[in-house]
Amino acid sequence: MKEQLYKTPEILSLRLVLVLCSLPPRPSGHPFKTRSNEEMRSLELSGQVGFNSLPHQVVRKLVAQGFCFNILCVGETGIGKSTLINTLFNTTFENEEADHYEQEVKLRSQTYELQEHTVKLKLTIVHTVGFGDQINKDESCKPILDYIEAQFEKYLEEELKIKRSLSNYDDTRVHICLYFIAPTGHTLKSLDLVTMKKLDSKVNIIPVIAKADIMSKTDLGNLKKKIMNELQSYGVQIYQFPNEDEEVGEINSSLNARLPFAVVGSTEDVKIGNRVVKARSYPWGAVQVENEEHCDFVHLREMLLRVNMDDLREQTHSHHYELYRRCKLQEMGFKDTDPDSQSFSLQEMYEAKRREFLKELQHREESMRQMFVNKVKETEAELKEKEKELHERFEVLKRMHQEEKRNLEEKRRELEEEMNAFNRRKVAAETLMGQALQGCSQQPLKKEKDKKK
C-alpha cells in the first residue's frame, strides 16, 4: 500500500471534490441504507438529504480563494526560458534580459495574477540569472538550493506559529523546476548532472530540451535516450507523472515516455495557409510550436497546466516539504514515539529540551571562558617572552653603546695628545725659525762694520 502522507486542507478538499463529483446525485426519496451488526435495513426518506451539494460548496470556496503555482526555471543564459514561459501562458511577462557577465548566480522571482474564466491563479516565476556563466561552477547550484530551502523555512515558521493562518498564507514553495538542457547533441554536461542530483530531493524536476528545432528527429531521439540513461545511471530522480488514476493514467503514461520534452518557444504569429499560429520562421519554412510533429510543447503544456498541476502541488507538500520538515524537526530534537511506547507530554518534552539547551549553553559558555583564559595566558606568555627578548636586546645595545663610548673616549684622548704634540712641535719650529731669521739679520750688520773699519 502507498504510504499515507500529510496533506493540507486545500489538497484534501480538492481530493474530496474529485471523489464526490464522481458519485451520481441521490434522487429524492431514494432509500438510504445503513449497516447493522447482522442485517441491512432500508429507511425511507421524506425528502432529499442534500449532501451531494458539498462538492459545489467546496468548489465555490476554492474558486473564490484562488490558487497559486510557482515555477523555477533553471538553465543557461539565452537558452530560451522566458520565451517558453511566455508561450506556455500565451502572454508576455516583463523580464529583464541578462548578460553573460554575472559574478554569481542570482534568483529573480516575479509574481503575476492570472484569471481563466472564474479561476484565479497567482503565478510566480523564478529565473536563475547568470547560471552557468561563471568559470568556476562549483557553487552554481548553491543559491538555488538556498532559495528553495528558504521558502520551506518560511512555510514551517508559519506552521509553528501559535496564531497561524495557512488558509490565507502566500505559499512561495517551488512546485516544479523546469530544467533547460542545451541541445548540444552529445550528452548532459557535468553541471546539469550535479545540479539535478542536488535538486531532486527538494523539488519536482522536469527536464526540457530547449530550442529543439536545431536538431533532426533522429538526433533528438538519440539525445533523449542518452539523457534518460545518464539520469538513471547517476540516480537522479525526476518527476514521474502518476498513472494510478484511470482518467489520466493513459495520458501520463504517454507523457512519461516522452521525457525529456523537446520544446520550441515562440511568441511570433506566423500565417501558414489560412491559419495564424505561433511558430519560428526560417528560410526553408516554419517550425510550429503547437504541432506535435515539430516539438513536444503541447504535451508539456498539457502536463503542466491541464493534467498534473494539482499533483505537482501535492507532491511538493507531501514529499519534498515533508522531508525538509522532518529533518528540520529532528535537528531541533523532536522525534515521534513508537506505537508500543507511552505517550509523551509536549510540555515535559519542551522543559527537557529547555534544560538540555541550557546545559549545552552553560557548557559552551564554560568552554568559551576556558578558551578565553587560555588565550589570555598564551598572550601573557607571548608578551613576557617578547618583553624578555626586548630586555636582552636593550642590554646588548647598552653594552654596545658603552663599548662605543669607551672607544670614542680613547680616540678623543689620542687626538688630544696628538694635538698637544703637534702644538709643541709647532712652537719649537716657530722658535727655530725665529732664531734663524735673527741670525741671518745680524750677519749683514757685521759685514758693514768690517767695511767701515
Side-chain angles (χ1 to χ4, degrees):
M1 293 181 65
K2 186 177 181 180
E3 181 182 2
Q4 185 176 2
L5 300 173
Y6 177 83
K7 298 179 174 60
T8 59
E10 183 181 358
I11 294 176
L12 291 174
S13 301
L14 288 173
R15 290 303 182 191
L16 182 62
V17 169
L18 295 176
V19 172
L20 294 181
C21 285
S22 62
L23 297 176
R26 188 181 300 277
S28 177
H30 192 279
F32 185 81
K33 297 182 180 181
T34 59
R35 178 173 294 277
S36 179
N37 292 335
E38 297 179 355
E39 60 181 356
M40 187 80 70
R41 58 176 181 165
S42 300
L43 296 177
E44 296 293 334
L45 300 178
S46 59
Q48 183 177 359
V49 175
F51 62 83
N52 60 350
S53 65
L54 180 60
H56 303 287
Q57 300 175 29
V58 175
V59 168
R60 285 198 301 269
K61 180 180 178 181
L62 293 178
V63 169
Q65 183 179 354
F67 303 91
C68 65
F69 193 62
N70 306 320
I71 303 175
L72 172 64
C73 300
V74 181
E76 299 176 357
T77 305
I79 204 170
K81 302 185 291 295
S82 301
T83 304
L84 180 64
I85 295 297
N86 294 340
T87 311
L88 276 173
F89 293 94
N90 195 22
T91 185
T92 301
F93 298 111
E94 297 179 0
N95 187 31
E96 299 179 2
E97 293 186 2
D99 52 27
H100 294 274
Y101 301 101
E102 296 291 339
Q103 298 296 327
E104 58 182 2
V105 180
K106 300 177 182 178
L107 275 76
R108 182 191 302 158
S109 63
Q110 294 175 322
T111 303
Y112 308 94
E113 299 285 344
L114 304 180
Q115 183 170 352
E116 186 176 3
H117 300 294
T118 60
V119 180
K120 297 178 181 179
L121 179 68
K122 180 180 287 187
L123 176 67
T124 301
I125 302 172
V126 185
H127 291 281
T128 54
V129 181
F131 181 79
D133 291 338
Q134 294 76 30
I135 297 176
N136 185 5
K137 299 180 176 60
D138 294 339
E139 300 295 329
S140 296
C141 58
K142 187 178 183 302
I144 304 174
L145 294 172
D146 293 342
Y147 177 84
I148 296 175
E149 292 184 354
Q151 311 317 308
F152 286 159
E153 182 72 20
K154 288 172 59 178
Y155 193 89
L156 181 60
E157 289 178 358
E158 184 67 25
E159 271 192 337
L160 298 178
K161 285 182 180 178
I162 297 177
K163 187 178 180 181
R164 57 183 183 175
S165 56
L166 291 176
S167 58
N168 300 325
Y169 177 73
D170 187 12
D171 191 3
T172 57
R173 295 174 296 177
V174 179
H175 299 124
I176 184 172
C177 169
L178 294 179
Y179 196 94
F180 289 75
I181 301 171
T184 57
H186 298 285
T187 181
L188 287 172
K189 298 179 181 179
S190 58
L191 176 63
D192 299 331
L193 286 173
V194 171
T195 304
M196 282 193 279
K197 182 59 180 177
K198 292 184 178 181
L199 290 177
D200 62 357
S201 61
K202 308 289 183 182
V203 66
N204 302 312
I205 300 177
I206 298 295
V208 173
I209 302 175
K211 298 182 178 180
D213 52 334
I214 68 173
M215 300 182 66
S216 64
K217 268 191 173 181
T218 305
D219 294 339
L220 197 58
N222 296 331
L223 179 60
K224 284 187 175 185
K225 291 179 181 179
K226 289 180 181 179
I227 291 174
M228 294 305 294
N229 291 334
E230 286 194 349
L231 293 177
Q232 185 176 2
S233 61
Y234 281 92
V236 178
Q237 301 294 328
I238 63 175
Y239 176 75
Q240 294 292 324
F241 309 111
N243 50 15
E244 293 84 3
D245 195 345
E246 295 181 357
E247 295 183 2
V248 297
E250 184 176 354
I251 298 176
N252 284 338
S253 298
S254 63
L255 291 176
N256 284 327
R258 286 183 173 270
L259 286 173
F261 293 112
V263 297
V264 177
S266 175
T267 56
E268 179 185 357
D269 294 328
V270 179
K271 187 174 182 181
I272 300 178
N274 297 327
R275 297 182 304 125
V276 177
V277 296
K278 300 290 183 183
R280 294 181 65 89
S281 299
Y282 292 97
W284 45 263
V287 177
Q288 301 179 31
V289 173
E290 297 182 349
N291 191 335
E292 298 182 13
E293 297 295 329
H294 293 180
C295 66
D296 297 330
F297 174 80
V298 176
H299 302 286
L300 175 63
R301 184 177 60 187
E302 184 178 20
M303 175 280 301
L304 192 63
L305 305 180
R306 191 179 73 85
V307 181
N308 296 305
M309 180 181 286
D310 178 57
D311 187 73
L312 289 167
R313 289 156 45 90
E314 182 181 351
Q315 285 294 322
T316 300
H317 181 83
S318 61
H319 180 68
H320 300 294
Y321 168 72
E322 194 66 21
L323 179 62
Y324 172 83
R325 174 180 173 273
R326 186 190 315 159
C327 296
K328 199 70 175 178
L329 292 180
Q330 286 177 354
E331 289 179 2
M332 297 170 62
F334 293 93
K335 61 180 180 180
D336 294 333
T337 57
D338 298 331
D340 299 334
S341 62
Q342 297 180 355
S343 60
F344 62 92
S345 172
L346 186 61
Q347 181 67 22
E348 293 178 358
M349 184 176 181
Y350 171 75
E351 291 294 336
K353 293 298 177 184
R354 184 173 180 272
R355 289 192 296 269
E356 183 180 351
F357 175 74
L358 290 177
K359 185 177 179 181
E360 184 180 357
L361 186 62
Q362 292 176 357
H363 177 70
R364 289 185 179 180
E365 185 178 357
E366 184 64 28
S367 62
M368 290 180 66
R369 185 183 294 109
Q370 187 65 31
M371 186 184 301
F372 176 74
V373 171
N374 294 335
K375 287 289 184 182
V376 170
K377 290 181 179 180
E378 291 177 1
T379 306
E380 287 181 352
E382 291 178 359
L383 289 175
K384 288 181 179 179
E385 186 68 24
K386 289 182 178 179
E387 184 180 2
K388 184 179 178 181
E389 292 179 359
L390 289 174
H391 185 68
E392 291 177 354
R393 289 182 61 188
F394 174 74
E395 292 295 332
V396 171
L397 291 174
K398 185 178 179 181
R399 288 193 299 268
M400 291 174 62
H401 175 70
Q402 292 176 353
E403 185 70 24
E404 289 179 357
K405 186 177 180 181
R406 286 194 299 269
N407 295 334
L408 290 174
E409 289 292 336
E410 291 179 358
K411 289 182 178 180
R412 186 176 65 83
R413 287 194 298 268
E414 291 177 356
L415 287 174
E416 287 179 352
E417 292 176 357
E418 290 179 359
M419 287 176 65
N420 293 332
F422 175 76
N423 290 330
R424 288 193 299 269
R425 287 194 299 270
K426 180 179 179 182
V427 171
E430 289 177 351
T431 303
L432 292 174
M433 287 180 65
Q435 292 175 357
L437 289 174
Q438 188 177 2
C440 291
S441 62
Q442 288 177 358
Q443 286 179 0
L445 290 175
K446 287 180 179 181
K447 288 179 179 181
E448 289 179 1
K449 286 180 180 182
D450 290 339
K451 288 178 179 181
K452 286 179 180 182
K453 287 180 177 179

